[in-house]
Amino acid sequence: MVGHGPRQCREVLQRRDVCTAQSEVDARRSAEAAHVKKLAEAGHLLRLWWLAGEWRPNERRSIGVWRADDEAALHADVLDTLPLRPWMVFQVTALRTHFNDPGQR
């Protein structure tokens, strides 16, 4: 289990080359689903959403709340291990708990 490292919000733009064989896309998506489940079980992935209205051919956006000791560890130990990583662009924002967060009560 990951320690109490900072939470990171990650926006992901996933683009794939239109020339990529569908069999490779399917294999990577399947591997991604299994790997993300392991990352969640290990405490790295806390939440994950698709952005509404952002469905375009060969391009998808998602936002996740991830946990790692720091941003370098987030990239090296978590994000860079994703099977779909070659097709992803990340925007990482560190998060802090808000004193009015109802989840903290």
Side-chain angles (χ1 to χ4, degrees), residues 10 12 19-20 36 39 47 52 63 75-77 79 82-83 85 87 90 101 105:
R10 171 190 84 150
V12 177
C19 297
T20 303
V36 166
L39 291 172
R47 298 296 304 267
I63 292 181
H75 284 278
D77 302 334
L79 302 179
L82 297 168
R85 173 63 181 106
W87 300 331
F90 301 114
D101 178 9
R105 295 181 188 156

Side-chain angles (χ1 to χ4, degrees), residues 45-71:
L45 176 59
L46 305 176
R47 298 296 304 267
L48 188 62
W49 300 270
W50 288 112
L51 292 179
E54 291 289 329
W55 290 91
R56 296 183 190 118
N58 304 319
E59 183 175 305
R60 296 183 181 163
R61 290 181 186 269
S62 63
I63 292 181
V65 178
W66 300 76
R67 179 173 281 163
D69 291 334
D70 55 37
E71 189 171 341

Side-chain angles (χ1 to χ4, degrees), residues 5-24:
R7 293 180 181 190
Q8 309 280 335
C9 179
R10 171 190 84 150
E11 181 176 351
V12 177
L13 171 60
Q14 178 188 341
R15 294 183 183 147
R16 69 176 174 87
D17 184 342
V18 294
C19 297
T20 303
Q22 189 61 46
S23 59
E24 181 180 349

